[in-house]
Amino acid sequence: MNELLIKIDHLKKTFGDHVVLEDVNMEIKKGEVIAIIGPSGCGKSTLIRTINQLETVTDGKIYVDGKDITDKNIDINEMRRRIGMVFQHFNLFPHLTILENIMLAPVKLSIMTKEEARENALKLLERVGLYDKASAYPKSLSGGQKQRIAIARALAMNPEVMLFDEPTSALDPEMVGEVLELIKELAEDGMTMVIVTHEMGFAREVANRVIFLDEKGIKEEGTPEEIFKNPQSDRLKDFLSKVL
């Protein structure tokens, strides 16, 4: 885990006059699983959305494999192929079958032929335990199943890193476990991941590193052991006392 994949350098993000993130510095190494925790509205989702430029940065730089992706001349779609994203609300296309949802991007971006994409999609459906849902439509699936399909769809692009924006917060409590189990399996397979989460037990169990975000920036970071058992700042102690 020494190979640097992503470097965030003095990142600032504003919406109008409102400063959401200021002077954020962060490194993500290959094979790392990073959990980002913190109170609602502190900029966690905005931070990971800047990594694939769904949000443009106001100031600072983001490097992926040494390339500055904030550069106006970069082919951002080329870069996004390497960065999988899983959203809170699944974002599946309702008019497409599950198989078509997973096949869409690799075929559209000419990464695979239709046949290769189909074969790949079926393998991924097997991996996420939903092979029997290939010809179903999203509306017939539970929330947990939709999120597992969204993960399979992101994996279809063979990304180098996966970003998860609160992947369980829109789910009923009994469906959270099946999604977290799948993310855990990806972690065991060595996938590089950045996960914004409210699930503290999950962050403690799966992450190599936990980042506590608050008041526009990173306030504390360390191993799960350091963050949860030996928090240094009063702000983190206060936050953990409310969520644990």
Side-chain angles (χ1 to χ4, degrees):
M1 278 198 288
N2 291 325
E3 194 183 326
L4 186 62
L5 192 58
I6 296 170
K7 181 178 169 68
I8 298 174
D9 200 17
H10 299 291
L11 174 75
K12 181 178 184 179
K13 176 63 185 172
T14 61
F15 292 105
D17 295 333
H18 179 52
V19 180
V20 181
L21 297 166
E22 192 154 39
D23 202 27
V24 173
N25 296 286
M26 184 176 159
E27 291 188 346
I28 302 162
K29 291 178 178 161
K30 207 167 184 176
E32 252 193 319
V33 178
I34 297 173
I36 300 178
I37 64 169
S40 292
C42 72
K44 302 184 298 293
S45 294
T46 302
L47 175 57
I48 67 163
R49 286 170 69 88
T50 62
I51 295 175
N52 68 353
Q53 293 291 278
L54 284 174
E55 296 289 355
T56 54
V57 305
T58 306
D59 202 7
K61 306 277 186 197
I62 299 174
Y63 300 93
V64 176
D65 269 344
K67 280 185 188 162
D68 176 9
I69 65 164
T70 59
D71 186 327
K72 300 276 185 286
N73 300 315
I74 197 93
D75 180 349
I76 197 60
N77 289 324
E78 171 65 37
M79 198 51 68
R80 280 190 188 136
R81 289 179 195 184
R82 301 160 63 186
I83 303 170
M85 179 96 186
V86 176
F87 302 88
Q88 199 172 333
H89 294 288
F90 332 125
N91 292 11
L92 298 173
F93 292 106
H95 63 291
L96 299 179
T97 66
I98 297 310
L99 191 66
E100 288 165 344
N101 262 284
I102 299 171
M103 288 171 61
L104 184 67
V107 172
K108 208 169 182 181
L109 295 168
S110 306
I111 292 166
M112 298 176 192
T113 64
K114 218 166 182 179
E115 199 41 59
E116 286 167 342
R118 188 174 189 282
E119 201 177 314
N120 187 44
L122 289 169
K123 276 185 195 158
L124 286 166
L125 281 172
E126 199 159 351
R127 183 176 184 181
V128 301
L130 292 168
Y131 187 84
D132 59 328
K133 300 293 182 186
S135 54
Y137 285 87
K139 67 177 181 190
S140 68
L141 269 54
S142 70
Q145 288 173 329
K146 283 178 190 167
Q147 195 57 295
R148 278 149 64 199
I149 295 302
I151 293 170
R153 181 182 59 182
L155 288 171
M157 298 291 289
N158 293 322
E160 289 172 53
V161 59
M162 290 273 281
L163 308 176
F164 292 87
D165 187 6
E166 299 193 15
T168 59
S169 62
L171 301 179
D172 292 335
E174 68 268 24
M175 290 170 188
V176 168
E178 65 189 67
V179 173
L180 294 184
E181 194 54 44
L182 176 56
I183 297 172
K184 206 162 120 186
E185 284 169 21
L186 292 176
E188 284 162 6
D189 289 347
M191 173 62 79
T192 309
M193 295 191 276
V194 183
I195 306 163
V196 169
T197 185
H198 288 298
E199 303 281 340
M200 297 301 139
F202 174 68
R204 181 184 249 161
E205 188 185 351
V206 174
N208 312 111
R209 187 152 52 104
V210 179
I211 289 175
F212 173 58
L213 204 68
D214 192 27
E215 294 161 354
K216 305 170 193 165
I218 294 171
K219 294 291 171 253
E220 209 165 318
E221 63 180 294
T223 63
E225 179 91 357
E226 288 164 343
I227 292 293
F228 293 109
K229 290 201 172 167
N230 193 23
Q232 298 301 299
S233 65
D234 289 341
R235 183 65 193 96
L236 178 54
K237 286 174 190 168
D238 179 53
F239 173 74
L240 292 175
S241 74
K242 290 173 178 154
V243 297
L244 289 179

